Amino acid sequence: MIQIKVPKDVLDIIDTLTERNHEAYVVGGCIRDSIMGHRVNDWDISTSAEPEEVMSIFESIQGFRVIPTGLKHGTVTVLYNGIHYEITTHRIEGEYSDRRRPDSVSFTQDVQDDLSRRDFTINAMAYSHEKGIVDPFGGLEDIEKGIVRCVGNPDRRFDEDALRMFRAVRFATQLEFEIEENTYASIFRNRRHACHVSVERIRQEFDKLLLSRVPSKGIRLLVDTELMDYIAPEVYDMVGFDQRHPYHDKELFEHTMVVLDNTPQTLNVRLAALFHDIGKPRCLELDERGIAHYYGHDDVGAELAKSILRRLRYDKRTIEAVENLIKEHMDQLEGFTKKGIKRFINRLGRQNLEDYFSLIYADVLGCKEPFDFSYLEDFKARVHSALMGKEPMTISDLAVNGHDLIEMGFPQSKIMSETIHYLFDTVLEHPEFNEKDKLLDLARKKLEEYKS
């Protein structure tokens, strides 16, 4: 019998229910992850006890706090030793008229009925330390084979909840499994149902996919199943695109996949890697030798990425970081002056520097060998040297601010903005000028010029 290492607090909850003649199991992904030796983040509990019974039981025991989070769907949250645990009554679901949520649920005493409504076999297992693993749909065998397979009829599963198609791709990517043949074919047949899924839920699955060890696996699946239509259809323009340049030995999409897989598992740099060259197909120019050039593809790509991320409703900070990484990824790093390096840091943002270096390193790995990182290492050293020097890098580092200029008589207008940028430009070139009296003196002269 396979033993699942269930935390003591979870066992306490299960024992509390079973001592009162109710079935109780841990269910779902926690069993899969435990079997595979992965970290388990959430332990979900399913029970034959109905919600009101669950509330009554735990409200009567000291040390438990009960929160009625979803009584309509059979879910009660129990707070125990500072951790929230969801306890859900075994249930059968009705029709899914909106292809996302069941119109109704009814409770059942049979845990197998509950498991039959779940998405994939690897998530349709239950476990208790008394009865062991309940696995009516072959989840253990599919874990052994490395397969993502729907419970029952895949067309029905995806018709019920179209998000499951994205989840299938995400699980295959995270777990480095294959999608079972009938399940894969069903995703392709039912892909148009994805229009019923909210952008926010699609983005959540997309983020998890991108943060997997080999994210290119998921991107390829999204492209092949055409689910990419609902994330970033602009990606299709890269597929099969011949870069026609001696520096590249891969078509654009393959180059991008190599870059993506060679970045660290952080969201901003993964997004930037996926979209860093997305502007190339729109900027293609051939010279007299038939060699391709992509002038301005960094700026075009940054705008495209911004549009995609806004459509997917990413937060402003993420969008700005990814946009800046893409916009700067074609900089000629050998030609920077000391002042230019400061301007670069200011444009990119200090918080994005490590992501930038990771992106450029991966971009080189996506090109034709031999790889030369010497210019990158030299530039990185110069950037770190500039940071260690503690010289002004941003406008906020100036010894004066807008309030100082207003007190001097500057109107809150373009004139004041231009003056602040003039002062900043001066300080970048001459850090010794970053003293309040010196800067106010320069500002006073500028004000006199504007008035004259």
Side-chain angles (χ1 to χ4, degrees), residues 344-409:
F344 165 81
I345 295 170
N346 185 50
R347 287 194 309 271
L348 185 65
R350 297 186 198 200
Q351 72 280 7
N352 298 319
L353 285 170
E354 290 308 313
D355 283 347
Y356 175 81
F357 295 131
S358 296
L359 176 62
I360 303 305
Y361 182 86
D363 198 12
V364 173
L365 291 176
C367 297
K368 188 176 181 179
E369 294 187 53
F371 305 131
D372 179 12
F373 299 102
S374 58
Y375 72 96
L376 178 59
E377 293 301 326
D378 178 66
F379 181 72
K380 189 174 182 179
R382 295 179 69 200
V383 167
H384 286 161
S385 176
L387 291 171
M388 292 297 290
K390 299 182 180 179
E391 294 179 357
M393 296 287 177
T394 67
I395 286 176
S396 62
D397 294 330
L398 287 175
V400 298
N401 56 38
H403 295 296
D404 296 318
L405 299 193
I406 290 171
E407 289 180 5
M408 182 181 287

Side-chain angles (χ1 to χ4, degrees), residues 320-331:
E320 288 181 351
V322 173
E323 180 187 6
N324 286 341
L325 288 169
I326 295 172
K327 192 178 291 185
E328 301 293 336
H329 89 275
M330 287 300 293
D331 287 344

Side-chain angles (χ1 to χ4, degrees), residues 333-347 379 382-383 385-393 425 427-432:
L333 304 185
E334 298 99 323
F336 274 90
T337 63
K338 186 176 181 180
K339 179 180 176 181
I341 287 177
K342 293 179 187 178
R343 284 196 174 281
F344 165 81
I345 295 170
N346 185 50
R347 287 194 309 271
F379 181 72
R382 295 179 69 200
V383 167
S385 176
L387 291 171
M388 292 297 290
K390 299 182 180 179
E391 294 179 357
M393 296 287 177
D425 195 59
V427 167
L428 285 181
E429 189 73 47
H430 305 285
E432 68 275 10

